[in-house]
Amino acid sequence: MKAAVVNEFKGPLETKDIPRPEIKAKDVLVKIHACGVCHTDLHACHGDWPVKPKMPLVPGHEGVGEIVEVGSEIHHLSVGDRVGIPWLYSACGHCDYCLEGKETLCLDQQNAGYSVDGSYAEYCLADGEYVVKIPDGLSYVDAAPLFCAGVTTYKALKVTEVKPGEWVAIIGVGGLGHLAVQYAVAMGMNVIAVDTGAEKLELAQKLGAKHCIDFMQDTPSAKIIELTGGGAHGVVCTAVSQPAFKEAYRAIRRGGACVLVGLPPEEMPIPIFDTVLNGVKVVGSIVGTRKDLKECLQFAAEGKVKAITEVKQLEDINDIFAEMEKGEITGRIVMDMS
Ligand code: NAD
Ligand code: ZN
Ligand code: ZN
């Protein structure tokens, strides 16, 4: 089968033939129809984080397609089912985190396109217990970005605990952020979007943001405090930039929450005095559970959220990564593999 493979950190991806994976009893084999390109895939190929991925690696954790083979111990799925293979490729299913509905925190998890091969390929193996079905009527290209960008931002918004009518600031309106804006609007929040360049900010406005701030022209935190009369009730930071996190922290209202989603490799210095006196929360949020995914897909099936996509091919992956590094992508690039 055809796949895009990275052989060494920071090396180019090579599109080549590799053996099609064999299923075991609890697996399904998915013929991939589309796969979104997440900035995490770029971090994986660069070896940016303390925990390193397998190498060589087939990246990709926004892969969607149809099941073509079902393992002997999987009884709730059939050949032909339309599913996606998320970042949470599998979890143990019996630790305290898994039992409490916090499976994304399981210490015994596998991650698609990181610890196991992902969906930058014609076929991808998946754990039958962890794939999630795509609602009827939602196309593969529209569904793909929801399997990471969608579920991650939908979950992060829940973590902010912002109520309808309150202010949420979305820092970074890229692949994740442009969906964050839409989920926040659909959840009844008042949205302020922060990024740079007319194209991204006009998109954020079109998607329902009440105010848009260009971080190259204004100091986002000062502007957010002014616009909201004291700061946002919640901030979701998806930017791949340490200064963006400083701004995100400064933009929170007393008692509010700053939710960290983007994963630049640097640290985020937090002032103890202000954190205590202002009673603010700084909290990390990692993707979402199968239940979060099901809910976030339903928003799209009902037409409340729609990923803005540009369709490209697997062979374009090195150019896509180059564009992503320069921050030149508006919305999400999805590779059509059908
Ligand atoms: P992306 O490249 O599509 O978007 C990042 C955006 O941040 C760009 O639009 C860029 O212009 C903007 N940006 C850069 N500096 C900024 C600043 N100072 N202020 C405001 N915006 C700024 O990337 P993506 O696919 O949306 O992923 C974003 C990050 O989220 C990555 O680090 C990725 O690894 C991480 N991620 C985390 C999770 C999670 O579960 N926590 C899930 C998926 C992705
Ligand atoms: Zn577990
Ligand atoms: Zn991702």
PDB file of all heavy atoms in Angstrom, residues 91-99 102-103 105-109 130, ligand 2:
ATOM      1  N   ALA A  91      -6.677   2.708  24.712  1.00  0.00           N
ATOM      2  CA  ALA A  91      -6.336   2.908  26.123  1.00  0.00           C
ATOM      3  C   ALA A  91      -6.553   1.558  26.801  1.00  0.00           C
ATOM      4  O   ALA A  91      -7.045   0.618  26.174  1.00  0.00           O
ATOM      5  CB  ALA A  91      -7.213   4.001  26.726  1.00  0.00           C
ATOM      6  N   CYS A  92      -6.176   1.460  28.095  1.00  0.00           N
ATOM      7  CA  CYS A  92      -6.202   0.123  28.711  1.00  0.00           C
ATOM      8  C   CYS A  92      -7.628  -0.336  29.012  1.00  0.00           C
ATOM      9  O   CYS A  92      -7.910  -1.530  29.050  1.00  0.00           O
ATOM     10  CB  CYS A  92      -5.336   0.102  29.970  1.00  0.00           C
ATOM     11  SG  CYS A  92      -6.143   0.773  31.435  1.00  0.00           S
ATOM     12  N   GLY A  93      -8.522   0.641  29.282  1.00  0.00           N
ATOM     13  CA  GLY A  93      -9.920   0.283  29.532  1.00  0.00           C
ATOM     14  C   GLY A  93     -10.241  -0.122  30.959  1.00  0.00           C
ATOM     15  O   GLY A  93     -11.412  -0.290  31.303  1.00  0.00           O
ATOM     16  N   HIS A  94      -9.223  -0.256  31.826  1.00  0.00           N
ATOM     17  CA  HIS A  94      -9.545  -0.708  33.192  1.00  0.00           C
ATOM     18  C   HIS A  94      -8.823   0.056  34.297  1.00  0.00           C
ATOM     19  O   HIS A  94      -8.974  -0.257  35.466  1.00  0.00           O
ATOM     20  CB  HIS A  94      -9.302  -2.218  33.335  1.00  0.00           C
ATOM     21  CG  HIS A  94      -7.972  -2.659  32.831  1.00  0.00           C
ATOM     22  ND1 HIS A  94      -6.817  -2.416  33.523  1.00  0.00           N
ATOM     23  CD2 HIS A  94      -7.614  -3.273  31.677  1.00  0.00           C
ATOM     24  CE1 HIS A  94      -5.793  -2.890  32.814  1.00  0.00           C
ATOM     25  NE2 HIS A  94      -6.242  -3.406  31.690  1.00  0.00           N
ATOM     26  N   CYS A  95      -8.005   1.069  33.973  1.00  0.00           N
ATOM     27  CA  CYS A  95      -7.361   1.859  35.044  1.00  0.00           C
ATOM     28  C   CYS A  95      -8.389   2.864  35.586  1.00  0.00           C
ATOM     29  O   CYS A  95      -9.486   3.000  35.038  1.00  0.00           O
ATOM     30  CB  CYS A  95      -6.126   2.580  34.504  1.00  0.00           C
ATOM     31  SG  CYS A  95      -6.492   3.922  33.349  1.00  0.00           S
ATOM     32  N   ASP A  96      -8.017   3.557  36.660  1.00  0.00           N
ATOM     33  CA  ASP A  96      -8.951   4.534  37.254  1.00  0.00           C
ATOM     34  C   ASP A  96      -9.364   5.600  36.238  1.00  0.00           C
ATOM     35  O   ASP A  96     -10.524   6.002  36.182  1.00  0.00           O
ATOM     36  CB  ASP A  96      -8.312   5.220  38.472  1.00  0.00           C
ATOM     37  CG  ASP A  96      -8.263   4.298  39.682  1.00  0.00           C
ATOM     38  OD1 ASP A  96      -8.886   3.206  39.616  1.00  0.00           O
ATOM     39  OD2 ASP A  96      -7.603   4.654  40.664  1.00  0.00           O
ATOM     40  N   TYR A  97      -8.402   6.086  35.431  1.00  0.00           N
ATOM     41  CA  TYR A  97      -8.727   7.131  34.443  1.00  0.00           C
ATOM     42  C   TYR A  97      -9.756   6.616  33.436  1.00  0.00           C
ATOM     43  O   TYR A  97     -10.748   7.291  33.151  1.00  0.00           O
ATOM     44  CB  TYR A  97      -7.461   7.590  33.709  1.00  0.00           C
ATOM     45  CG  TYR A  97      -6.396   8.136  34.626  1.00  0.00           C
ATOM     46  CD1 TYR A  97      -5.164   7.489  34.758  1.00  0.00           C
ATOM     47  CD2 TYR A  97      -6.616   9.290  35.365  1.00  0.00           C
ATOM     48  CE1 TYR A  97      -4.189   8.000  35.602  1.00  0.00           C
ATOM     49  CE2 TYR A  97      -5.640   9.796  36.211  1.00  0.00           C
ATOM     50  CZ  TYR A  97      -4.427   9.142  36.322  1.00  0.00           C
ATOM     51  OH  TYR A  97      -3.467   9.648  37.154  1.00  0.00           O
ATOM     52  N   CYS A  98      -9.494   5.421  32.924  1.00  0.00           N
ATOM     53  CA  CYS A  98     -10.434   4.859  31.944  1.00  0.00           C
ATOM     54  C   CYS A  98     -11.813   4.678  32.574  1.00  0.00           C
ATOM     55  O   CYS A  98     -12.831   4.998  31.960  1.00  0.00           O
ATOM     56  CB  CYS A  98      -9.910   3.524  31.413  1.00  0.00           C
ATOM     57  SG  CYS A  98      -8.566   3.728  30.209  1.00  0.00           S
ATOM     58  N   LEU A  99     -11.843   4.192  33.803  1.00  0.00           N
ATOM     59  CA  LEU A  99     -13.135   3.928  34.457  1.00  0.00           C
ATOM     60  C   LEU A  99     -13.886   5.214  34.782  1.00  0.00           C
ATOM     61  O   LEU A  99     -15.113   5.230  34.824  1.00  0.00           O
ATOM     62  CB  LEU A  99     -12.931   3.098  35.733  1.00  0.00           C
ATOM     63  CG  LEU A  99     -12.390   1.680  35.509  1.00  0.00           C
ATOM     64  CD1 LEU A  99     -12.158   0.980  36.844  1.00  0.00           C
ATOM     65  CD2 LEU A  99     -13.327   0.841  34.647  1.00  0.00           C
ATOM     66  N   LYS A 102     -12.051   9.323  31.850  1.00  0.00           N
ATOM     67  CA  LYS A 102     -10.913  10.201  31.521  1.00  0.00           C
ATOM     68  C   LYS A 102      -9.881   9.392  30.758  1.00  0.00           C
ATOM     69  O   LYS A 102      -8.680   9.407  31.062  1.00  0.00           O
ATOM     70  CB  LYS A 102     -10.287  10.745  32.818  1.00  0.00           C
ATOM     71  CG  LYS A 102     -11.207  11.648  33.628  1.00  0.00           C
ATOM     72  CD  LYS A 102     -10.528  12.067  34.921  1.00  0.00           C
ATOM     73  CE  LYS A 102     -11.464  12.887  35.791  1.00  0.00           C
ATOM     74  NZ  LYS A 102     -11.011  12.921  37.197  1.00  0.00           N
ATOM     75  N   GLU A 103     -10.356   8.654  29.751  1.00  0.00           N
ATOM     76  CA  GLU A 103      -9.478   7.720  29.031  1.00  0.00           C
ATOM     77  C   GLU A 103      -8.301   8.400  28.340  1.00  0.00           C
ATOM     78  O   GLU A 103      -7.273   7.772  28.113  1.00  0.00           O
ATOM     79  CB  GLU A 103     -10.291   6.913  28.013  1.00  0.00           C
ATOM     80  CG  GLU A 103     -10.955   7.767  26.937  1.00  0.00           C
ATOM     81  CD  GLU A 103     -12.095   7.043  26.220  1.00  0.00           C
ATOM     82  OE1 GLU A 103     -12.651   6.089  26.776  1.00  0.00           O
ATOM     83  OE2 GLU A 103     -12.415   7.452  25.081  1.00  0.00           O
ATOM     84  N   LEU A 105      -6.350  10.293  29.666  1.00  0.00           N
ATOM     85  CA  LEU A 105      -5.250  10.379  30.640  1.00  0.00           C
ATOM     86  C   LEU A 105      -4.645   9.013  30.932  1.00  0.00           C
ATOM     87  O   LEU A 105      -3.695   8.905  31.719  1.00  0.00           O
ATOM     88  CB  LEU A 105      -5.747  11.031  31.939  1.00  0.00           C
ATOM     89  CG  LEU A 105      -6.380  12.415  31.794  1.00  0.00           C
ATOM     90  CD1 LEU A 105      -6.784  12.970  33.161  1.00  0.00           C
ATOM     91  CD2 LEU A 105      -5.424  13.390  31.106  1.00  0.00           C
ATOM     92  N   CYS A 106      -5.183   7.956  30.344  1.00  0.00           N
ATOM     93  CA  CYS A 106      -4.687   6.591  30.590  1.00  0.00           C
ATOM     94  C   CYS A 106      -3.170   6.538  30.350  1.00  0.00           C
ATOM     95  O   CYS A 106      -2.673   7.046  29.348  1.00  0.00           O
ATOM     96  CB  CYS A 106      -5.402   5.615  29.654  1.00  0.00           C
ATOM     97  SG  CYS A 106      -4.819   3.921  29.822  1.00  0.00           S
ATOM     98  N   LEU A 107      -2.461   5.917  31.286  1.00  0.00           N
ATOM     99  CA  LEU A 107      -1.001   5.814  31.154  1.00  0.00           C
ATOM    100  C   LEU A 107      -0.600   4.726  30.168  1.00  0.00           C
ATOM    101  O   LEU A 107       0.545   4.639  29.755  1.00  0.00           O
ATOM    102  CB  LEU A 107      -0.375   5.538  32.530  1.00  0.00           C
ATOM    103  CG  LEU A 107      -0.337   6.766  33.436  1.00  0.00           C
ATOM    104  CD1 LEU A 107      -0.187   6.359  34.897  1.00  0.00           C
ATOM    105  CD2 LEU A 107       0.773   7.707  33.025  1.00  0.00           C
ATOM    106  N   ASP A 108      -1.561   3.882  29.840  1.00  0.00           N
ATOM    107  CA  ASP A 108      -1.265   2.737  28.968  1.00  0.00           C
ATOM    108  C   ASP A 108      -1.972   2.933  27.619  1.00  0.00           C
ATOM    109  O   ASP A 108      -2.640   2.037  27.131  1.00  0.00           O
ATOM    110  CB  ASP A 108      -1.764   1.468  29.683  1.00  0.00           C
ATOM    111  CG  ASP A 108      -1.184   0.220  29.056  1.00  0.00           C
ATOM    112  OD1 ASP A 108      -0.251   0.348  28.245  1.00  0.00           O
ATOM    113  OD2 ASP A 108      -1.688  -0.873  29.378  1.00  0.00           O
ATOM    114  N   GLN A 109      -1.828   4.146  27.051  1.00  0.00           N
ATOM    115  CA  GLN A 109      -2.508   4.437  25.777  1.00  0.00           C
ATOM    116  C   GLN A 109      -1.543   4.353  24.610  1.00  0.00           C
ATOM    117  O   GLN A 109      -0.325   4.478  24.775  1.00  0.00           O
ATOM    118  CB  GLN A 109      -3.159   5.825  25.819  1.00  0.00           C
ATOM    119  CG  GLN A 109      -2.200   6.987  25.941  1.00  0.00           C
ATOM    120  CD  GLN A 109      -2.935   8.326  25.962  1.00  0.00           C
ATOM    121  OE1 GLN A 109      -3.247   8.909  24.936  1.00  0.00           O
ATOM    122  NE2 GLN A 109      -3.214   8.817  27.167  1.00  0.00           N
ATOM    123  N   TYR A 130     -11.871   1.633  19.824  1.00  0.00           N
ATOM    124  CA  TYR A 130     -11.578   3.077  19.927  1.00  0.00           C
ATOM    125  C   TYR A 130     -11.847   3.881  18.660  1.00  0.00           C
ATOM    126  O   TYR A 130     -11.693   5.093  18.669  1.00  0.00           O
ATOM    127  CB  TYR A 130     -10.141   3.295  20.459  1.00  0.00           C
ATOM    128  CG  TYR A 130     -10.080   2.945  21.933  1.00  0.00           C
ATOM    129  CD1 TYR A 130      -9.901   1.623  22.345  1.00  0.00           C
ATOM    130  CD2 TYR A 130     -10.312   3.908  22.907  1.00  0.00           C
ATOM    131  CE1 TYR A 130      -9.918   1.276  23.696  1.00  0.00           C
ATOM    132  CE2 TYR A 130     -10.337   3.584  24.250  1.00  0.00           C
ATOM    133  CZ  TYR A 130     -10.133   2.262  24.643  1.00  0.00           C
ATOM    134  OH  TYR A 130     -10.165   1.948  25.967  1.00  0.00           O
TER     135      TYR A 130
HETATM  136 ZN    ZN B   2      -6.501   3.141  31.209  1.00  0.00          ZN
END
